[in-house]
Amino acid sequence: MITLNRELPDNVLITTVDEVLGWGRKNSLWWLMFGLACCAIEMMHTAGPRGDLERFGVAPRPTPRQADLIMISGTLTYKMASRVKLIYDQMAEPKYVIAMGSCANCGGLFSKSYSVVKGVDQIIPVDMYVPGCPPRVEALLEGLVKLQQKVQKEKYLRK
Amino acid sequence: MALIEFDKKLHKGTVQNRIELVRISNEEMVINMGPHHPSTHGVIRIVLRVDGEFISQARPDIGYLHRGIEKIAEGMSYHSFMPYTDRIDYLAAVNCNIGYAQAVEDLGQIEVPERARYCRVITAELNRILSHFMAIGPIATDLGAYTPFIYVVREREFIYKMMEAITGARLTYNYARIGGVSRDITDEILRDIEKYLDHLIPFMDEYHRLIGANKIFIERLVNLGVISKSEAMSHSLSGPNLRASGIKHDIRKDDPYLVYDRLNFDVPVGTGAEGTIGDSYDRYLQRIKEILESEKILRQAISSIPSGETLGKVPKRLVLPKGEIYSHTEAPRGELGYYIESDGKSDRPYRLKIRTGSFSSMTTLAVKIPGMMIADAVAFFASLDVVAPEIDR
Amino acid sequence: MRYDTSLLEKLKSEFPDDVLNMEATGPMPHALIKAASLKRIVGHIRDDKGFNMKYLNCITAVHVTDEHEGKFRSLGFNLIYNFTDADFSRSISLKVYIEDHGDGSINNVVPSIDIYYKSANWFEREIYDLMGIFFHYSKDLSRILLPPDWVGHPLRKDYSEQPSYNDMPTGRSDELQSLRLV
């Protein structure tokens, strides 16, 4: 809630600390370039000229130590599962997870298979599920905007 | 040895010199490249034994995207399996679709109407252009240049618009059906494709002038990872990798399918334009030449497409006669072969095996990488153009 | 694939004891050969000028079973080798049948051909991983697609899943999601 007090000059805004912290944190989520399968191509197209992910303040980082957001895009297999857990553990708190595509949500069309983890939420906690196979560029952007609204509402200072 | 001699040997740049350098010192370290790495090829892991910067042994480790597609096929009917074939090589999805449809049609003696064949050729060649774009862009990214990849993504968005108008999807099309195609291509879309092809040739010229004729790019790729003719045959390479080593083999010409025997196009081979035949620069140049050939095929197919129906009459419960077949087509990454065995009673395949070009390209890694430096190994790997789901299925 | 049935007859005339059967009709004409003579025949068709099969297309394995009321009884395995010659004008297929006696005696019957073709090693590793067929004299036979501590060979018809792998449950929420093989 930003209020404008009539006694102060026009370039002064009054707000709460929670609001400012939320606004700062939601507009600079750095994402980890983590693509497993077909959804990774749609993620690259979202970061391309037409989708333009960078206008939301997300910058791509190749290493998990510098990233806040991981977008699991693609099918997770049992062989890869321990590596995903390792990468998630290497990210510093606070961190967010978007499960992109049906294979990451629930196993997708490969849930009949013997070597596929039925959903990435069996190993790491997920904040946002984006459905689609693969989800369109606009769908992923909407997922990101909803995640930003979730980050804005977090009470960061109080426990 | 003295640093001056080290410098001279480095600039001569033959693999033999580097192997001698490696045998001298014995302080080696085992490091791990992957499965998570900032490159677009997918989840592939290579375990390297390095001495400083020079690699002395390499062992690829695959299977991080093994989804068991062949086992899933044994539990689904022939019609329902089509969406899974998209995900074998998602960058060239229509080629995988039509390879599978062709294998089933050849085993079951099913007729495909003429217009459906032309539609298949048009979408397959558009998809070949898409896939080769995704090969030449990441070569530059793996060498350190980020902008060519964005150029390529912009061009792909133009083609995505056309493919979405034809099939309804952006990446995994599910376009072919047993006996034809799912939707017709209207005249308006054909005019749009022709307008795009007018824009494609100047763009390829600009891209090649910026990247391919760039001195740094040439020096990094020339004489790197030379695969000779006999080695290419022994490793069962196929597609652009085989042609870049000097062997003139294209399944569209040697064993024609669909309407390729009526269309007029060349088969370019690697000529060692800047270095030796079969080096990484040849593999890069091969894909540029193939995009230009695809443009020729598209123009001819658009001008000679007949009218008619797009889907033949196929029963809903399709039971193929008892027997087996191995049928192959030319996908952008190599030979895509489907082996189908049917037991004559059920509407599901008894065994389905998929042979992909990237699987055999990976066998060259353990042989060629020892002796290179780590950055050169990354460039060689990028020039092979593999994708992880084709290797692991 | 351009199959040439005269090649099959030539093979039969040069190896009369080792070629058990010739199937010249159908979409994939092939010759059924004995497992013990595989290496000799493959070496011959690679080097002999009459065959000149320098290109290995694919090695495939099929589990031959007898299905009875939903239960599969394992009879044996078929191995199919596809070759093409150096000008890519003719192709040949070879088939090897090995019986499964159920006590592990199918192992060590099939020799590996990776001394002739450099790509054969990875094809054979995949067949060992998914079907369980062991190739004799192979230079490196280990699991390639599945994790090294996986139990079982999935592409067999009588394979059943383990209940969990490394504490991750393998069950599905919806029974319709499992494969129906019958």
Side-chain angles (χ1 to χ4, degrees):
Chain A
M1 213 85 63
I2 300 182
T3 56
L4 282 163
N5 195 324
R6 291 292 161 201
E7 292 160 3
L8 293 172
D10 277 336
N11 54 352
V12 177
L13 302 169
I14 300 179
T15 177
T16 62
V17 177
D18 275 335
E19 288 272 333
V20 169
L21 276 180
W23 167 82
R25 289 175 62 227
K26 81 174 184 189
N27 283 326
S28 75
L29 288 167
W30 284 6
W31 62 285
L32 175 68
M33 292 154 55
F34 189 75
L36 291 170
C38 343
C39 287
I41 305 292
E42 280 298 294
M43 198 166 70
M44 289 178 218
H45 277 266
T46 314
R50 184 174 154 189
D52 196 9
L53 205 51
E54 291 216 27
R55 62 190 151 137
F56 294 100
V58 292
R61 308 304 300 161
T63 153
R65 298 280 191 195
Q66 300 169 356
D68 305 308
L69 172 66
I70 180 171
M71 292 202 258
I72 313 270
S73 51
T75 321
L76 191 66
T77 56
Y78 287 117
K79 197 167 180 180
M80 188 70 191
S82 57
R83 275 79 175 184
V84 168
K85 185 85 175 75
L86 199 64
I87 289 177
Y88 179 75
D89 288 340
Q90 281 181 345
M91 286 164 71
E93 288 278 349
K95 52 193 172 185
Y96 303 96
V97 177
I98 292 183
M100 177 185 173
S102 1
C103 291
N105 289 349
C106 63
L109 79 168
F110 292 106
S111 60
K112 293 185 183 233
S113 158
Y114 49 84
S115 69
V116 165
V117 179
K118 322 284 186 296
V120 80
D121 51 7
Q122 290 194 354
I123 34 176
I124 59 180
V126 174
D127 288 303
M128 190 65 56
Y129 295 88
V130 181
C133 192
R136 285 184 66 104
V137 165
E138 292 86 6
L140 183 61
L141 290 177
E142 179 177 349
L144 183 69
V145 166
K146 282 208 152 82
L147 182 71
Q148 284 187 335
Q149 289 168 358
K150 189 176 168 182
V151 170
Q152 165 87 65
K153 293 199 205 109
E154 272 186 16
K155 300 265 184 286
Y156 190 56
L157 289 180
R158 269 165 283 179
K159 284 288 179 276
Chain B
M1 59 174 61
L3 271 178
I4 299 175
E5 265 149 308
F6 183 96
D7 251 0
K8 276 200 198 138
K9 277 211 171 192
L10 213 56
H11 284 289
K12 285 267 171 59
T14 63
V15 172
Q16 205 51 42
N17 287 344
R18 291 178 189 160
I19 290 182
E20 279 167 25
L21 224 63
V22 166
R23 278 199 213 121
I24 291 174
S25 88
N26 52 8
E27 297 164 346
E28 295 185 331
M29 172 166 83
V30 175
I31 63 175
N32 187 29
M33 200 164 103
H36 163 62
H37 50 85
S39 120
T40 55
H41 307 114
V43 280
I44 303 168
R45 173 184 180 221
I46 311 180
V47 183
L48 301 169
R49 199 166 91 186
V50 295
D51 161 36
E53 193 70 18
F54 291 97
I55 299 173
S56 57
Q57 209 180 0
R59 188 181 159 86
D61 183 15
I62 60 174
Y64 292 92
L65 204 57
H66 175 62
R67 302 182 273 200
I69 293 182
E70 298 179 1
K71 181 88 178 179
I72 291 178
E74 294 175 11
M76 313 206 80
S77 68
Y78 293 103
H79 294 290
S80 325
F81 186 64
M82 194 59 81
Y84 289 88
T85 57
D86 276 326
R87 275 97 180 151
I88 295 170
D89 179 7
Y90 44 78
L91 295 170
V94 173
N95 291 283
C96 301
N97 284 346
I98 63 181
Y100 171 68
Q102 188 170 296
V104 174
E105 285 152 10
D106 282 348
L107 186 55
Q109 315 278 327
I110 299 173
E111 277 293 315
V112 180
E114 261 317 283
R115 189 176 169 93
R117 287 194 209 178
Y118 274 89
C119 287
R120 281 185 183 180
V121 166
I122 290 174
T123 43
E125 291 303 317
L126 267 181
N127 223 319
R128 193 180 303 268
I129 295 179
L130 271 177
S131 176
H132 282 318
F133 271 147
M134 207 53 163
I136 60 182
I139 291 183
T141 311
D142 285 351
L143 294 183
Y146 191 54
T147 314
F149 183 64
I150 305 291
Y151 274 29
V152 157
V153 167
R154 182 192 69 185
E155 290 300 311
R156 281 170 54 98
E157 285 284 348
F158 292 144
I159 306 184
Y160 268 8
K161 251 194 214 165
M162 291 183 278
M163 290 300 285
E164 196 179 357
I166 300 175
T167 65
R170 279 165 57 99
L171 189 69
T172 49
Y173 304 113
N174 193 15
Y175 185 54
R177 299 280 180 268
I178 315 259
V181 291
S182 67
R183 292 185 197 201
D184 200 4
I185 307 184
T186 60
D187 287 336
E188 198 184 308
I189 300 175
L190 290 174
R191 301 288 90 77
D192 279 339
I193 299 178
E194 283 189 329
K195 253 197 304 188
Y196 175 73
L197 291 177
D198 292 332
H199 155 82
L200 176 68
I201 304 295
F203 170 74
M204 290 311 300
D205 195 35
E206 177 191 345
Y207 190 87
H208 188 60
R209 262 186 302 121
L210 268 177
I211 311 297
N214 188 337
K215 191 169 188 325
I216 301 177
F217 194 76
I218 293 178
E219 295 236 335
R220 276 204 68 178
L221 285 187
V222 143
N223 288 332
L224 183 71
V226 177
I227 302 183
S228 63
K229 276 191 189 179
S230 60
E231 275 185 328
M233 295 287 271
S234 180
H235 279 287
S236 299
L237 290 184
S238 49
N241 292 337
L242 183 69
R243 291 192 278 277
S245 292
I247 300 178
K248 200 170 175 122
H249 167 58
D250 189 333
I251 299 179
R252 297 174 287 174
K253 283 268 194 215
D254 291 336
D255 191 9
Y257 55 100
L258 294 177
V259 292
Y260 284 110
D261 43 0
R262 290 176 236 171
L263 299 172
N264 202 9
F265 61 100
D266 299 321
V267 177
V269 279
T271 54
E274 303 277 344
T276 39
I277 299 184
D279 61 6
S280 303
Y281 190 71
D282 260 351
R283 284 189 279 276
Y284 159 80
L285 210 55
Q286 178 71 25
R287 292 182 167 95
I288 302 258
K289 291 182 202 166
E290 291 201 358
I291 294 180
L292 302 176
E293 294 299 321
S294 284
E295 186 256 345
K296 274 193 228 167
I297 297 178
L298 270 173
R299 284 203 197 270
Q300 290 171 46
I302 291 175
S303 62
S304 57
I305 183 169
S307 60
E309 49 184 37
T310 51
L311 190 59
K313 290 252 176 296
V314 179
K316 271 214 170 106
R317 184 174 188 269
L318 177 67
V319 177
L320 294 181
K322 187 172 163 73
E324 57 202 351
I325 190 172
Y326 176 79
S327 116
H328 59 173
T329 57
E330 177 84 17
R333 278 179 181 80
E335 168 184 338
L336 186 68
Y338 284 89
Y339 171 84
I340 301 185
E341 177 170 333
S342 143
D343 62 357
K345 295 182 299 210
S346 72
D347 60 343
R348 274 164 266 145
Y350 186 76
R351 171 84 167 105
L352 179 88
K353 151 106 187 176
I354 307 163
R355 183 260 196 230
T356 51
S358 304
F359 190 73
S360 19
S361 299
M362 285 290 284
T363 56
T364 58
L365 279 183
V367 173
K368 289 284 159 193
I369 285 191
M372 294 185 189
M373 291 197 275
I374 296 183
D376 288 337
V378 171
F380 169 68
F381 185 52
S383 77
L384 280 182
D385 188 28
V386 294
V387 273
E390 258 208 340
I391 305 172
D392 300 337
R393 283 157 277 133
Chain C
M1 298 284 275
R2 294 193 166 174
Y3 289 106
D4 194 352
T5 44
S6 64
L7 284 178
L8 293 175
E9 275 153 34
K10 189 165 173 224
L11 192 68
K12 173 100 182 163
S13 63
E14 288 179 13
F15 295 92
D17 306 318
D18 298 320
V19 177
L20 299 171
N21 195 11
M22 234 175 55
E23 179 72 45
T25 54
M28 193 178 99
H30 57 267
L32 184 68
I33 60 176
K34 277 192 205 162
S37 52
L38 175 70
K39 219 167 178 175
R40 207 162 16 108
I41 294 185
V42 168
H44 178 81
I45 62 177
R46 186 186 80 145
D47 299 323
D48 183 45
K49 287 297 166 216
F51 289 98
N52 208 16
M53 298 283 165
K54 295 257 190 273
Y55 191 79
L56 171 68
N57 282 92
C58 191
I59 309 180
T60 314
V62 184
H63 192 192
V64 179
T65 56
D66 190 14
E67 188 248 313
H68 185 65
E69 281 173 10
K71 290 270 188 249
F72 286 95
R73 189 171 61 101
S74 165
L75 295 173
F77 296 90
N78 264 338
L79 280 169
I80 292 127
Y81 293 77
N82 286 310
F83 301 96
T84 311
D85 73 348
D87 320 313
F88 296 97
S89 54
R90 302 189 298 178
S91 307
I92 193 174
S93 288
L94 301 176
K95 194 187 249 194
V96 174
Y97 177 67
I98 41 183
E99 273 195 61
D100 181 12
H101 304 296
D103 52 352
S105 60
I106 56 160
N107 296 338
N108 294 347
V109 169
V110 187
S112 157
I113 59 169
D114 59 10
I115 51 170
Y116 295 120
Y117 299 95
K118 292 202 184 103
S119 57
N121 184 33
W122 272 37
F123 285 126
E124 290 169 355
R125 277 177 76 180
E126 184 195 344
I127 292 177
Y128 166 65
D129 190 6
L130 297 175
M131 282 280 197
I133 301 172
F134 195 86
F135 288 88
H136 209 30
Y137 301 122
S138 164
K139 64 183 180 213
D140 172 21
L141 200 66
S142 53
R143 285 205 185 255
I144 189 170
L145 291 175
L146 291 169
D149 54 352
W150 195 267
V151 172
H153 298 282
L155 237 53
R156 293 192 179 196
K157 294 284 183 182
D158 46 6
Y159 172 73
S160 60
E161 288 182 83
Q162 306 286 313
S164 75
Y165 174 73
N166 273 0
D167 303 326
M168 284 179 280
T170 59
R172 297 164 185 87
S173 54
D174 186 4
E175 266 314 304
L176 287 175
Q177 287 296 319
S178 28
L179 279 179
R180 43 169 194 120
L181 282 178
V182 184

